[in-house]
């Protein structure tokens, strides 16, 4: 049986203090809940909007124990939090989602294997731990193919495309000996994602399928409604819910898909709120951030109905300096992450352009 929901005034601990932690803290405040951010970076964007923060490494067990003693439940804003850190906290306070989901999401081999176990289509893949492994994998899978580190890659980092056998040596050198996975190149028409949630009571809810466009391996826009057949959209939601059930998951999860002519392929899962779900802040009554906090706190999940059409656009680097002209645009909701330095490619904010559906 699920425990009692945390009442307003309770404190949610969040591992990670980036923009996702910031928006989770803002959503928690709307529900009367407080947040305590734990992050190694002293200038984390989530600190100014949270009730408390701790600056310490994820391997600092003394700091983690003190943090756990001050909060009623813990969640995390990104999947690269060490699993050992989450296991340590789980001995002291509820952590939602838990270490199992994190462990799967951090390893592309486990992620792909679970997707296949659930009956979902994926790219062909093979484990690569040496140059000889890579040569054998390319011979079996063919080219073009993508070589990725199994862990810690995001926004295109830790990846190399192999167009022919001539690229094998350079691609393996780029991995620097890290355990890797070779994936076949999936020819697809578009990329979509599903933002789904599972509550402490096991109930699930999903937002509408989102169509995503990437530039330079970084999400550029998310559009809803998505241009995807109803049956494939329904299959995507079904697969996302299978992940939630199988992992006994509590919280919001993002699942990315490639859409082919009549098939969808699971690309990857993210055990957290997701960039492609930012549109829910201004086009739905309950956003993905509130939904996640509701789940972590044991509250009922909110409705996921969409009241507006929407296009979310990320603002990278110097694009954030257009804030004044963007703020003048009717039908536009502006979100600034409060980061001090606008480095090229860094996510500094986003906008949601909404119109009645």
């Amino acid at each position: 049986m699920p425990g009692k929901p945390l009442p307003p005034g309770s404190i949610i601990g969040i591992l990670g203090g980036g923009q996702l932690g910031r928006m989770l803290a803002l959503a928690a405040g709307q529900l009367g809940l407080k947040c305590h951010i734990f992050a190694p970076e002293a200038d984390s964007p989530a600190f100014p909007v949270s009730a408390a923060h701790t600056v310490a490494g994820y391997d600092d067990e003394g700091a983690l124990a003190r943090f756990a003693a001050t909060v009623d439940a813990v969640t995390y804003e990104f999947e690269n939090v060490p699993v050992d850190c989450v296991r340590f906290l789980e001995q002291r306070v509820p952590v939602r989602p838990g270490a199992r989901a994190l462990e799967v999401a951090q390893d592309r081999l486990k992620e792909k294997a679970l997707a296949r176990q659930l009956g979902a289509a994926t790219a062909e893949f093979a484990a690569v731990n040496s140059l000889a492994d890579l040569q054998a994998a390319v011979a079996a899978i063919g080219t073009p193919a993508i070589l990725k580190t199994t862990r810690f890659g995001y926004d295109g980092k830790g990846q190399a495309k192999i167009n022919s056998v001539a690229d094998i040596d350079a691609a393996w050198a780029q991995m620097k000996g890290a355990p890797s996975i070779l994936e076949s190149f999936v020819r697809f028409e578009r990329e979509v994602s599903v933002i789904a949630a599972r509550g402490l009571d096991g109930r699930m809810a999903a937002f509408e399928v989102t169509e995503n466009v990437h530039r330079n391996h970084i999400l550029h826009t998310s559009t809803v409604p998505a241009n995807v057949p109803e049956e494939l959209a329904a299959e995507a939601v079904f697969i996302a819910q299978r992940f939630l059930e199988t992992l006994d998951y509590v919280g919001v999860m993002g699942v990315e898909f490639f859409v082919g002519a009549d098939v969808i392929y699971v690309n990857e899962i993210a055990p957290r709120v997701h960039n492609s779900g930012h549109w829910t802040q201004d086009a739905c009554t309950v956003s993905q951030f509130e939904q996640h906090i509701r789940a972590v706190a044991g509250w009922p999940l909110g409705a996921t109905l969409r009241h507006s059409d929407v296009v979310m656009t990320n603002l990278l680097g110097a694009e954030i300096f257009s804030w004044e002209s963007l703020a003048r645009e009717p039908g536009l909701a502006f979100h600034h992450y409060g980061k001090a330095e606008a480095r090229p490619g860094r996510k500094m904010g986003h906008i949601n352009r909404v119109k009645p559906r």
Side-chain angles (χ1 to χ4, degrees):
M1 292 290 291
K4 292 183 178 179
L6 298 177
S10 301
I11 301 177
I12 306 293
I14 300 176
L15 300 173
Q19 66 266 20
L20 300 180
R22 178 186 176 94
M23 289 183 275
L24 285 169
L26 291 169
Q30 183 178 321
L31 302 178
L33 298 163
K34 301 176 183 177
C35 286
H36 182 160
I37 307 294
F38 188 106
E41 300 83 9
D43 60 347
S44 295
F47 288 172
V49 300
S50 301
H53 66 263
T54 295
V55 179
Y58 295 120
D59 58 352
D60 186 338
E61 293 191 349
L64 287 170
R66 291 190 292 276
F67 168 71
T70 68
V71 300
D72 299 292
V74 170
T75 188
Y76 41 85
E77 66 142 15
F78 74 129
E79 60 270 35
N80 288 339
V81 171
V83 173
D84 286 346
C85 167
V86 171
R87 290 198 179 110
F88 179 85
L89 291 170
E90 283 179 330
Q91 302 303 312
R92 293 159 175 79
V93 65
V95 182
R96 300 163 181 156
R100 187 180 174 204
L102 194 62
E103 193 170 23
V104 170
Q106 285 184 352
D107 189 316
R108 289 190 170 96
L109 282 168
K110 292 180 179 177
E111 185 181 61
K112 288 284 190 300
L114 178 58
R116 289 285 184 92
Q117 178 187 326
L118 299 179
T122 71
E124 297 299 320
F125 62 94
V128 173
N129 294 302
S130 67
L131 180 59
D133 285 349
L134 180 56
Q135 291 167 335
V138 170
I141 291 176
T143 58
I146 308 293
L147 183 64
K148 305 175 180 178
T149 56
T150 58
R151 302 167 64 86
F152 300 122
Y154 65 95
D155 288 346
K157 298 173 183 174
Q159 300 186 15
K161 187 176 180 181
I162 298 176
N163 289 306
S164 71
V165 293
D167 297 331
I168 290 177
D169 288 355
W172 178 242
Q174 197 171 325
M175 298 302 108
K176 299 178 180 177
S180 302
I181 177 174
L182 185 72
E183 298 180 5
S184 64
F185 193 78
V186 174
R187 300 191 184 283
F188 58 91
E189 297 178 351
R190 55 184 51 86
E191 297 176 64
V192 302
S193 57
V194 172
I195 307 299
R198 184 170 180 269
L200 198 57
D201 59 1
R203 295 183 181 180
M204 295 183 286
F207 294 97
E208 277 187 53
V209 172
T210 305
E211 183 171 348
N212 303 313
V213 173
H214 289 75
R215 288 183 179 175
N216 300 319
H217 304 289
I218 300 174
L219 182 65
H220 175 53
T221 61
S222 292
T223 301
V224 185
N227 181 19
V228 60
E230 285 187 16
E231 59 271 24
L232 291 184
E235 184 178 348
V237 170
F238 175 75
I239 292 170
Q241 292 180 334
R242 292 281 288 131
F243 273 111
L244 294 173
E245 288 176 324
T246 303
L247 294 171
D248 193 22
Y249 193 92
V250 175
V252 162
M253 173 185 284
V255 185
E256 297 181 7
F257 299 89
F258 297 130
V259 180
D262 57 359
V263 64
I264 56 171
Y265 301 89
V266 172
N267 179 28
E268 62 182 25
I269 64 172
R272 54 173 169 76
V273 288
H274 195 259
N275 194 167
S276 69
H278 290 2
W279 63 270
T280 60
Q281 290 173 301
D282 300 297
C284 296
T285 303
V286 173
S287 74
Q288 65 161 345
F289 299 101
E290 179 178 335
Q291 192 79 303
H292 187 74
I293 292 295
R294 281 175 175 246
V296 171
W299 286 34
L301 296 182
T304 54
L305 296 175
R306 174 176 59 87
H307 55 68
S308 299
D309 292 349
V310 58
V311 178
M312 187 287 302
T313 304
N314 273 329
L315 300 176
L316 306 182
E319 291 172 347
I320 196 67
F321 298 130
S322 300
W323 61 268
E324 187 172 4
S325 62
L326 290 169
R328 295 179 190 279
E329 186 177 322
L332 183 148
F334 182 80
H335 299 265
H336 193 296
Y337 301 155
K339 296 179 180 177
E341 186 181 0
R343 296 192 297 271
R346 191 183 194 194
K347 293 175 182 174
M348 300 297 295
H350 68 272
I351 53 175
N352 286 324
R353 288 188 168 94
V354 298
K355 62 181 182 180
R357 58 182 301 180

